[in-house]
């Protein structure tokens, strides 16, 4: 149907009623009694019966009764206007080829579309989609998710280029991810104007998940009907064979594209974006693979929706916490309006913005980057005139409020929330201007000119890069921003209504918390003072001068202070024993702290045990520095610990190389701390021996004070060493494999091993063409490719000096020619480790 498209109806071109279908299948419509009333004029080439002989005939005269009953049994499953049913491998006529069918209702008609079944023994749609989803679920962030999804869909469909195309609020689109054959121009990051995809096409994308154009040069098959029906008015919105708008064909031809496929990406029923697949020669994809692609698109849509919702939920939850705190705190204010102003900085934490203005009681409070007070006052007056009592938002203030052009560099976007019952008080969030450079695939303006279909909107012929500087706009306000704003509006109204009961309860609770805090503080201060008094009393008995007393007392208090600092730095969490020993040895020996050798598993001590042991270690270190191993320049101390069978911590202190040890003639306070602190405070054990060659001590800390911390340092080092020694790939790798699932798994392995790009080929001819197009740096060859082998490919790779590995079910017993016998052979099914090992053999052989 070549009806001219003029300037007034171009954007309303009825692309859903083209009156024809693509010729890779045929279409029949039947009435409720299964009488044929319409059919495509190519039906004869499939069923052997001319279309004129089909019309007004029962469907059972054209196809078998069994096929009719199969179709009839699925009609009952069609619920809803956009419902479709699919049937695979149906024998329409006895002894004839099988067909894949799609059926749906279009008004009063049952539309039956059929295309020859394509036998793909290695293809299992459900398993393919499961593998594809498994890959993309492991990604992080939207960019990586989209990139991996594009790559997976390209592997499944074989299109030259697969893009993830995301729509912006203004209807334009951007390529956010791309997987393309080597040598093709990159489209990643390019923007396309909204006019490239008309409104009616977007509606169809929302209703129908997948659209394929197998060959833009194929001649459409016209729909014919009986005199009482009009095939040119048949709505083919849900058709899989619907022919293509001549304007869209011209658009694709201008891009050099010969075949395409699109898979919709929806969020909450709205068009979020598309998978756009391009091929530069005709490309037909079997109905089963298209079904797998559609299922993948639906699952990807749900993953995108889930991830974006997670971000929104986290964003809104954070805002909700601030709102709850705001209500609790504001309820203590005697004047609610004053409370609203006091929390102006909290509002900025709730909604992403650059500045906030509060207009309350005829007063303006500003925070951050905002217009001036006079400018805000005029803006409030405008808001109250145009949107009284409603949330109002714009990312381009000058479009909505002309006077905003003056301050758009400070506040290009605003979101206003009414905060009183009268349209007077409001809270306004501002976002600064974001000047950005947008790269378009051709100038985004619509071009009207004479075309093959008359005067109309002509598709762009030039796709040369065209840059535009966008100014006067802020970051758009999201749906989550609006939801938070609405919730905040309700919250502020509650605050203004003077939550008296909540305020009274909060005041009583605050008073109780204050009393409890004072009591706790008083208890802690008394304990600290008691400990210091005991240290003073005990230290003075062993001191012979004021200086010695100050030194001894100061050292012990410093040991407690260091322990306290280490505990409080971790918010009163367990602290590593290793930290304690290193801290004390560093305090005494400075740069010579390596004279204290420490060894043991990574363990942490409960704060109480840590503080007790800090005094013990301090006394041991002090005695060693005065009388023991550390008093001599050649002496050293060894501190080792382990976890015993009862899960207690055993610590051993061994001194050596110092002067001969003389047992003390009396027990001073320091010795008392060493011998009694651990048993008394921790119910553990302590033992000290004054051996002639060096002091020996042992301490046992009960398991309830000990926490084993798994060490990852050694593991990390081993991983780094393994990765450093791992053979790596680079540039392009080639996989020659006739099983799609195995090829997809192999691609992941080669990418994990460092390949930047992976080409796949299912036949020898495809592989040789891929090598001619891009010389690979490595190849993984399936020895048996159905009726042929990859030996010719291997010989070509050997000739040009490209390393390769054979993969086969025979393993090393595979029949490989002598001249290729040096190539490693891996047995299917193989893993990353198996391929990595074989790659290592190749690397060693080349050294």
């Amino acid at each position: 149907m070549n009806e001219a498209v003029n300037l007034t109806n171009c954007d309303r071109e009825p692309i859903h009623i083209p009156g024809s279908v693509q010729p890779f299948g045929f279409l029949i419509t039947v009435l409720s009694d299964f009488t044929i009333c319409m059919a495509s004029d190519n039906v004869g080439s499939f069923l052997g019966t001319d279309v004129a002989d089909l019309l007004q005939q029962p469907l059972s005269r054209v196809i078998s009764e069994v096929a009719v009953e199969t179709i009839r049994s699925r009609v009952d499953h069609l619920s809803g206007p956009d419902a479709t049913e699919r049937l695979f491998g149906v024998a329409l006529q006895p002894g004839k080829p099988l067909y894949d069918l799609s059926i749906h209702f279009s008004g009063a008609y049952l539309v039956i579309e059929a295309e020859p079944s394509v036998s793909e023994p290695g293809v299992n749609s459900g398993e393919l989609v499961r593998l594809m989803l498994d890959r993309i679920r492991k990604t992080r962030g939207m960019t990586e998710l989209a990139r991996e999804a594009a790559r997976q869909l390209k592997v499944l469909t074989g299109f030259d280029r697969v893009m993830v195309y995301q729509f912006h609020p203004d209807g334009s689109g951007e390529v956010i991810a791309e997987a393309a054959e080597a040598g093709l121009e990159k489209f990643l990051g390019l923007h396309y104007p909204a006019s490239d995809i008309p409104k009616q096409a977007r509606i169809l994308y929302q209703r129908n998940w997948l659209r394929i154009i197998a060959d833009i040069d194929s001649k459409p098959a016209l729909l014919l009907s009986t005199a009482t029906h009009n095939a040119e008015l048949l709505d083919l919105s849900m058709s899989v064979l619907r022919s293509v708008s001549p304007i869209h064909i011209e658009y694709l031809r201008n891009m050099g594209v010969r075949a395409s496929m699109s898979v919709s990406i929806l969020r909450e029923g709205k068009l979020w974006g598309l998978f756009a697949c391009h091929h530069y020669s005709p490309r037909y994809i079997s109905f089963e693979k298209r079904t797998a692609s559609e299922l993948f698109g639906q699952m990807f849509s749900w993953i995108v929706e889930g991830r974006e919702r997670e971000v929104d939920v986290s964003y809104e939850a954070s805002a909700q916490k601030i709102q709850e705190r705001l209500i609790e705190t504001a309820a203590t204010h005697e004047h609610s309006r004053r409370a609203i102003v006091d929390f102006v900085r909290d509002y900025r934490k709730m909604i992403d913005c650059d500045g906030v203005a509060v207009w309350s009681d005829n007063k303006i409070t500003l925070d951050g980057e905002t217009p001036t007070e006079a400018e805000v006052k005029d803006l409030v007056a405008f808001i109250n005139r145009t949107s009284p009592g409603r949330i109002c938002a714009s990312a381009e203030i000058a479009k909505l409020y002309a006077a905003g052009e003056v301050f758009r560099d400070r506040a290009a976007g605003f979101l206003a929330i009414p905060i009183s019952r009268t349209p007077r008080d409001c809270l306004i969030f501002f976002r600064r201007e974001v000047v950005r450079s947008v790269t378009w695939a051709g100038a985004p303006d619509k071009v009207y000119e004479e075309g093959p279909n008359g005067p109309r909107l002509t598709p762009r012929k030039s796709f040369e890069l065209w840059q535009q500087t966008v100014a006067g706009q802020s970051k758009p306000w999201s749906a989550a921003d609006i939801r938070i704003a609405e919730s905040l509006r309700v919250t502020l109204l509650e605050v203004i209504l003077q939550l008296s009961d909540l305020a009274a309860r909060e005041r009583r609770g605050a008073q109780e918390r204050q009393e409890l805090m004072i009591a706790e503080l008083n208890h802690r201060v008394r304990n600290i003072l008691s400990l210091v008094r005991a240290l003073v009393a005990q230290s003075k008995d062993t001191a012979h001068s004021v200086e010695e007393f100050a030194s001894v007392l100061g050292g012990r208090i410093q040991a407690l202070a260091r322990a306290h600092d280490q505990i409080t730095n971790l918010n009163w969490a367990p602290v590593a024993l290793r930290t304690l020993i290193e801290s004390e040895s560093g305090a005494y020996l400075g740069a010579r702290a390596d004279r204290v050798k420490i060894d043991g598993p990574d363990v942490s001590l409960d704060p109480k045990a840590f503080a007790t042991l800090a005094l013990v270690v301090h006394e041991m270190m002090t005695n060693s520095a005065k009388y023991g191993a550390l008093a001599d320049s050649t002496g050293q101390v060894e501190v080792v610990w382990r976890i015993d069978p009862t899960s207690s911590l055993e610590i051993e202190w061994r001194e050596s190389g110092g002067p001969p040890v003389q047992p003390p003639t009396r027990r001073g306070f320091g010795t008392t701390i060493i011998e009694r602190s651990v048993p008394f405070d921790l119910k553990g054990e302590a033992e000290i021996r004054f051996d002639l060659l060096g002091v020996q001590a042992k301490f046992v800390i009960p398991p309830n004070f000990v926490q084993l911390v798994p060490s990852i340092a050694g593991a990390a080092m081993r991983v780094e060493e393994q990765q450093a020694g791992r053979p790596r790939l680079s540039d392009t790798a080639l996989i020659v494999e006739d099983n799609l699932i195995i090829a997809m798994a192999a691609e992941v392995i080669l990418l994990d091993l460092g390949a930047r790009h992976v080409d796949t080929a299912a036949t020898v001819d495809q592989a040789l063409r891929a090598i001619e197009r891009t010389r690979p740096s490595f190849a993984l060859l399936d020895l048996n490719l159905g009726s042929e082998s990859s030996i010719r490919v291997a010989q070509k790779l050997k000739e040009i000096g490209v390393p390769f590995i054979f993969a086969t079910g025979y393993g090393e017993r595979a029949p490989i020619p002598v001249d290729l016998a040096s190539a490693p052979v891996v047995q299917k099914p193989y893993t990353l480790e198996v391929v990595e090992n074989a790659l290592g053999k190749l690397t060693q052989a080349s050294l």
Side-chain angles (χ1 to χ4, degrees):
M1 193 168 74
N2 292 320
E3 179 181 327
V5 183
N6 61 37
L7 295 175
T8 60
N9 69 7
C10 179
D11 283 337
R12 296 185 299 276
E13 180 189 3
I15 58 177
H16 60 299
I17 48 173
S20 59
V21 296
Q22 297 182 70
F24 61 80
F26 65 89
L27 181 148
I28 292 174
T29 67
V30 298
L31 299 172
S32 58
D33 60 357
F34 271 56
T35 300
I36 299 173
C37 59
M38 302 182 199
S40 57
D41 65 5
N42 65 341
V43 67
S45 62
F46 292 97
L47 299 182
T49 303
D50 189 73
V51 64
D53 299 328
L54 294 180
L55 299 177
Q56 295 185 318
Q57 296 297 317
L59 184 61
S60 58
R61 290 190 182 179
V62 180
I63 63 176
S64 69
E65 288 282 359
V66 173
V68 172
E69 286 306 312
T70 300
I71 294 171
R72 194 187 299 273
S73 68
R74 301 298 286 272
V75 171
D76 292 339
H77 297 285
L78 294 173
S79 58
D82 292 345
T84 62
E85 283 289 312
R86 295 168 186 174
L87 301 87
F88 298 93
V90 179
L92 296 181
Q93 297 172 326
K96 296 295 181 65
L98 303 179
Y99 287 87
D100 295 334
L101 309 182
S102 174
I103 63 173
H104 69 276
F105 280 111
S106 179
Y109 305 111
L110 177 65
V111 179
I112 303 170
E113 298 176 274
E115 55 189 274
S117 289
V118 177
S119 177
E120 297 178 292
V123 176
N124 180 322
S125 298
E127 179 66 10
L128 286 173
V129 173
R130 186 190 68 77
L131 285 170
M132 295 164 72
L133 291 173
D134 187 52
R135 305 283 189 271
I136 66 173
R137 283 196 190 101
K138 296 176 181 178
T139 60
R140 293 185 178 181
M142 187 59 65
T143 300
E144 186 180 347
L145 172 68
R147 183 170 60 242
E148 181 63 21
R151 193 176 64 80
Q152 291 297 323
L153 194 60
K154 183 180 184 304
V155 172
L156 172 65
T157 62
F159 274 91
D160 290 334
R161 185 194 306 274
V162 175
M163 299 170 285
V164 179
Y165 184 85
Q166 183 180 3
F167 293 112
H168 294 307
D170 63 357
S172 65
E174 178 184 358
V175 179
I176 64 170
E178 177 183 43
E181 290 293 319
L184 289 179
E185 176 188 3
K186 299 299 181 184
F187 289 173
L188 182 64
L190 294 185
H191 291 244
Y192 291 79
S195 59
D196 277 17
I197 303 180
K199 293 180 181 178
Q200 69 273 31
R202 294 171 191 253
I203 294 173
L204 290 181
Y205 283 133
Q206 289 185 184
R207 297 181 61 190
N208 206 333
W209 282 89
L210 186 140
R211 170 69 162 153
I212 186 171
I213 303 172
D215 184 359
I216 66 170
D217 293 325
S218 62
K219 182 181 178 182
L222 295 178
L223 298 183
L224 303 179
S225 63
T226 60
T228 55
H229 302 276
N230 190 342
E232 291 189 351
L233 296 180
L234 178 65
D235 188 337
L236 295 180
S237 295
M238 302 306 297
S239 166
V240 299
L241 297 174
R242 184 179 77 245
S243 63
V244 190
S245 156
I247 294 179
H248 188 56
I249 287 178
E250 186 178 346
Y251 178 87
L252 294 175
R253 185 173 285 115
N254 291 344
M255 292 187 72
V257 174
R258 294 288 303 280
S260 72
M261 186 178 78
S262 60
V263 183
S264 302
I265 304 171
L266 303 181
R267 180 180 178 186
E268 298 177 349
K270 302 292 180 64
L271 195 61
W272 182 93
L274 294 171
F275 285 103
C277 310
H278 288 172
H279 210 69
Y280 296 92
S281 60
R283 178 79 177 163
Y284 170 76
I285 303 296
S286 71
F287 200 12
E288 184 171 1
K289 276 192 178 179
R290 299 204 309 268
T291 300
S293 300
E294 180 177 332
L295 179 58
F296 177 71
Q298 293 173 345
M299 299 302 292
F300 178 81
S301 296
W302 292 330
I303 292 173
V304 167
E305 183 173 334
R307 291 197 179 181
E308 290 193 342
R309 184 173 290 128
E310 283 179 8
V311 174
D312 288 350
V313 167
S314 175
Y315 180 34
E316 293 178 50
S318 175
Q320 182 63 34
K321 288 181 181 179
I322 298 173
Q323 286 188 56
E324 291 171 358
R325 189 167 68 247
L326 185 150
I327 290 176
E328 293 174 1
T329 309
T332 64
H333 279 252
E334 295 181 0
H335 197 288
S336 296
R337 295 186 187 278
R338 182 67 251 167
I340 292 174
V341 173
D342 286 348
F343 297 114
V344 65
R345 294 195 175 182
D346 290 286
Y347 304 144
R348 291 184 61 184
K349 298 175 184 176
M350 295 177 62
I351 296 179
D352 181 24
C353 66
D354 298 300
V356 170
V358 180
W359 172 259
S360 180
D361 279 344
N362 293 317
K363 295 179 181 179
I364 294 177
T365 302
L366 304 178
D367 187 74
E369 197 164 346
T370 67
T372 64
E373 288 193 10
E375 290 167 340
V376 170
K377 186 175 181 180
D378 291 341
L379 176 61
V380 169
F382 168 78
I383 292 170
N384 285 332
R385 287 196 308 271
T386 57
S387 301
R390 298 194 305 272
I391 290 177
C392 177
S394 173
E396 191 171 0
I397 194 168
K399 269 192 174 182
L400 189 66
Y401 175 59
E405 180 72 27
V406 176
F407 54 79
R408 74 175 198 184
D409 58 330
R410 288 167 284 145
F414 77 96
L415 188 159
I417 305 174
I419 55 174
S420 64
R421 291 186 174 181
T422 58
R424 183 184 63 207
D425 297 348
C426 66
L427 169 63
I428 309 177
F429 294 86
F430 294 102
R431 283 179 178 168
R432 69 167 64 94
E433 178 183 37
V434 179
V435 179
R436 66 190 191 281
S437 179
V438 177
T439 302
W440 298 90
D445 299 328
K446 295 183 177 181
V447 179
Y448 298 95
E449 60 180 49
E450 287 286 338
N453 299 295
R456 58 170 177 78
L457 178 76
T458 299
R460 290 182 293 112
K461 296 179 180 178
S462 172
F463 290 87
E464 294 180 357
L465 298 186
W466 189 88
Q467 287 196 326
Q468 176 188 26
T469 299
V470 178
Q473 297 179 6
S474 71
K475 175 185 173 183
W477 303 98
S478 67
D481 291 325
I482 303 301
R483 287 193 295 270
I484 293 172
E486 181 59 39
S487 176
L488 179 58
R489 184 182 72 86
V490 173
T491 296
L492 293 177
L493 287 175
E494 288 179 355
V495 172
I496 291 173
L497 290 175
Q498 297 286 344
L499 305 176
S500 56
D501 290 342
L502 178 61
R505 287 197 301 272
E506 183 61 25
R507 280 194 294 271
R508 286 195 300 270
Q511 185 176 357
E512 291 172 1
R513 288 194 296 271
Q514 185 179 23
E515 291 174 355
L516 180 62
M517 185 181 300
I518 291 172
E520 175 66 15
L521 181 61
N522 187 39
H523 172 71
R524 288 183 180 272
V525 169
R526 284 185 177 182
N527 282 345
I528 292 172
L529 291 175
S530 296
L531 178 58
V532 171
R533 185 173 60 187
L535 288 175
V536 170
Q538 295 295 335
S539 299
K540 70 178 182 179
D541 294 337
T542 59
H544 299 289
S545 66
V546 173
E547 291 77 9
E548 184 180 356
F549 169 70
S551 176
V552 170
L553 178 61
R556 287 167 177 165
I557 293 177
Q558 280 296 325
L560 283 175
R562 283 194 294 271
H564 189 266
D565 285 345
Q566 290 164 342
I567 293 169
T568 55
N569 285 342
L570 295 176
N571 294 322
W572 217 254
V575 186
L577 171 60
R578 190 181 303 274
T579 302
L580 169 60
I581 308 298
E582 290 174 347
S583 175
E584 282 298 321
S585 59
Y588 269 92
L589 303 174
R592 296 176 292 112
D594 57 354
R595 292 176 60 191
V596 178
K597 309 295 184 183
I598 59 177
D599 185 41
D602 287 342
V603 294
S604 293
L605 299 177
D606 175 89
K608 179 180 179 182
F610 190 86
T612 298
L613 199 60
L615 271 179
V616 172
V617 172
H618 171 73
E619 294 301 330
M620 293 295 296
M621 201 73 69
T622 300
N623 290 341
S624 181
K626 285 184 176 181
Y627 317 111
L630 298 181
D632 194 306
S633 60
T634 61
Q636 67 175 22
V637 174
E638 184 180 9
V639 184
V640 296
W641 60 88
R642 67 183 185 90
I643 301 295
D644 71 8
T646 67
S647 298
S648 296
L649 175 65
E650 288 188 2
I651 305 171
E652 293 191 22
W653 178 287
R654 306 167 188 157
E655 297 188 18
S656 60
V661 175
Q662 298 294 329
T665 57
R666 56 186 293 272
R667 289 291 190 267
F669 182 56
T671 306
T672 302
I673 288 176
I674 294 170
E675 293 179 337
R676 298 185 58 185
S677 292
V678 171
F680 184 85
D681 291 338
L682 308 179
K683 305 301 183 286
E685 300 175 18
E687 176 188 353
I688 183 168
R689 300 192 312 275
F690 297 95
D691 295 346
L692 182 63
L693 298 179
V695 172
Q696 309 290 311
K698 178 180 177 181
F699 307 96
V700 179
I701 311 297
N704 54 306
F705 295 109
V706 181
Q707 180 176 324
L708 185 62
V709 181
S711 175
I712 63 171
M717 186 178 299
R718 288 192 296 274
V719 169
E720 291 177 1
E721 291 171 354
Q722 291 170 3
Q723 291 178 343
R726 172 186 288 184
R728 305 296 293 172
L729 299 176
S730 62
D731 300 329
T732 298
L734 172 66
I735 297 172
V736 182
E737 171 61 63
D738 61 343
N739 184 293
L740 180 60
I741 293 177
I742 295 177
M744 291 173 66
E747 181 183 7
V748 173
I749 288 174
L750 298 191
L751 289 171
D752 284 345
L753 288 173
R756 294 183 180 178
H757 180 79
V758 177
D759 282 338
T760 57
T763 66
V764 170
D765 288 342
Q766 289 178 3
L768 294 176
R769 286 199 299 271
I771 294 170
E772 184 178 351
R773 183 174 62 247
T774 304
R775 183 181 185 276
S777 63
F778 169 76
L780 178 60
L781 310 178
D782 180 11
L783 185 59
N784 296 302
L785 302 171
S787 60
E788 57 183 349
S789 77
S790 61
I791 296 299
R792 285 173 52 205
V793 180
Q795 290 170 338
K796 178 62 176 178
L797 293 171
K798 182 177 180 181
E799 177 186 330
I800 62 176
V802 174
F804 57 89
I805 292 173
F806 283 117
T808 175
Y810 295 104
E812 295 186 353
R813 295 178 287 107
I816 297 175
V818 177
D819 61 328
L820 301 175
S822 61
V825 179
V826 297
Q827 186 167 1
K828 293 183 176 180
Y830 46 80
T831 62
L832 183 146
E833 290 75 16
V834 171
V835 175
E836 185 178 37
N837 185 52
L839 188 60
K841 292 180 181 178
L842 275 179
T843 304
Q844 292 174 1
S846 64
L847 296 178

